[in-house]
Amino acid sequence: MKTFRNGTVIPAHPLALDAERRIDERRQRALTRYYLESGAGGVAVGVHTTQFAIHEPNRGMLRPVLELAARTSAEYTDRSPVLVAGACGPTEQAVAEAELAASLGYDLILLAPYGATDLSDEQLLERTRAVGEVLPVIGFYLQPAVGGRTLPRPFWRQLADIPSVVGVKVAPFDRYATLDVVHGIADSDRGGDVTFYTGNDDHIVGDLLATYPTGAEFVGGLLGQWAVWVERAVTLLELTRRAKAGDDDALRTAVEMDTALTDANAAIFDARNNFHGCIPGIHEVLRRQGLLEGTWCLDEKETLGSGQLAEIDRIWDAYPHLRDDEFIAEHLDRWLK
């Protein structure tokens, strides 16, 4: 928990599939190894980037995916990676998923509103309390384009009031909504006990550099964008820390990366097509670097968006300094064993 509280890089873990859309265990393990050896402090599994479809009971995929990441993370006995499991759906489902995660050694639950659209705000809070009896909870403001919903400022105050809530991933891709979270949590007596992680992939640098009037700060990121180029993400987090400590050179470097990273994210997440190709875009980057074999998703209709491949080509050429190709090439064969 100390690593989480202090702030770290937590990649949202993709799902490696083969051409038959079955789990490719070798490449799934390789991804986990890549993240942890890049310097990430943990991984988040069973989240949006892992594809919410794995939570469908008829697929039978949630346990093996969670188990594989936990088992691979256990290889790194010199550290204690933070293991975050995604949970979604109505209360009964979310609690059962939290119990599964706890049995596999996970530390925290990232509780998504996905699959709970028929619940009121108060029912979402009751769901949080129920899940929090199993594992500590990270609240999650998921943008509506990928299955979230608008959640008002009072909701975040009440969420922070729940003793089992230890953090929040703020990912509405909306500056006003982000402020609702920050101010809502500040209104709670437990505001200082809730750790802020950015999930705003379109505003990573800005979130990490910001200090709000409430005293809130984003200490790390739990991001789909940080499913790729992770060695650089670790460097970026350190740059923002140095910048906030008064290092002007670090500040200039971080600010110079801001626009480039947002531009790259727009291509990878397919912002032009309302994020249709978000997950395949992440897969395409990992495919180019040799970590994945293809861009397959569980839903055959989930493919790269119109014009997205050309956009990825463009940012690939424009921002080589954002990539960690050499680091991956050096270690890939060993990760794939």
Side-chain angles (χ1 to χ4, degrees), residues 141-144 149-153 156 170-184 196 200 212 218:
Y141 201 159
L142 177 66
Q143 65 156 319
R149 65 196 251 188
T150 300
L151 293 165
R153 188 172 297 192
W156 297 104
V170 187
F173 286 45
D174 181 313
R175 305 318 302 154
Y176 301 116
T178 295
L179 287 170
D180 280 339
V181 181
V182 170
H183 288 290
F196 284 81
N200 288 316
Y212 292 88
F218 287 88

Side-chain angles (χ1 to χ4, degrees), residues 77-145:
T77 55
D78 60 330
R79 70 195 84 166
S80 298
V82 179
L83 295 182
V84 179
C88 60
T91 301
E92 184 178 357
Q93 176 184 337
V95 169
E97 291 179 354
E99 291 171 343
L100 170 62
S103 74
L104 296 173
Y106 279 75
D107 303 297
L108 301 165
I109 291 294
L110 180 65
L111 188 55
Y114 184 86
T117 54
D118 59 332
L119 298 185
S120 66
D121 289 355
E122 181 54 44
Q123 288 171 322
L124 286 179
L125 293 167
E126 286 298 328
R127 184 180 70 145
T128 303
R129 295 183 185 97
V131 170
E133 293 181 6
V134 181
L135 279 175
V137 173
I138 304 170
F140 188 5
Y141 201 159
L142 177 66
Q143 65 156 319

Side-chain angles (χ1 to χ4, degrees), residues 34-50:
Y34 160 51
Y35 297 142
L36 296 179
E37 292 190 27
S38 295
V43 290
V45 189
V47 295
H48 172 246
T49 304
T50 325

Side-chain angles (χ1 to χ4, degrees), residues 57-73:
N58 62 310
R59 292 188 183 273
M61 297 182 76
L62 184 60
R63 173 180 283 275
V65 170
L66 291 177
E67 193 169 28
L68 191 55
R71 195 165 61 240
T72 305
S73 297

Side-chain angles (χ1 to χ4, degrees), residues 266-267 270 272-273 304-314:
D270 196 25
R272 287 185 175 182
N273 296 301
L304 292 171
S306 175
Q308 187 181 5
L309 190 60
E311 276 294 284
I312 294 176
D313 286 339
R314 178 184 65 80

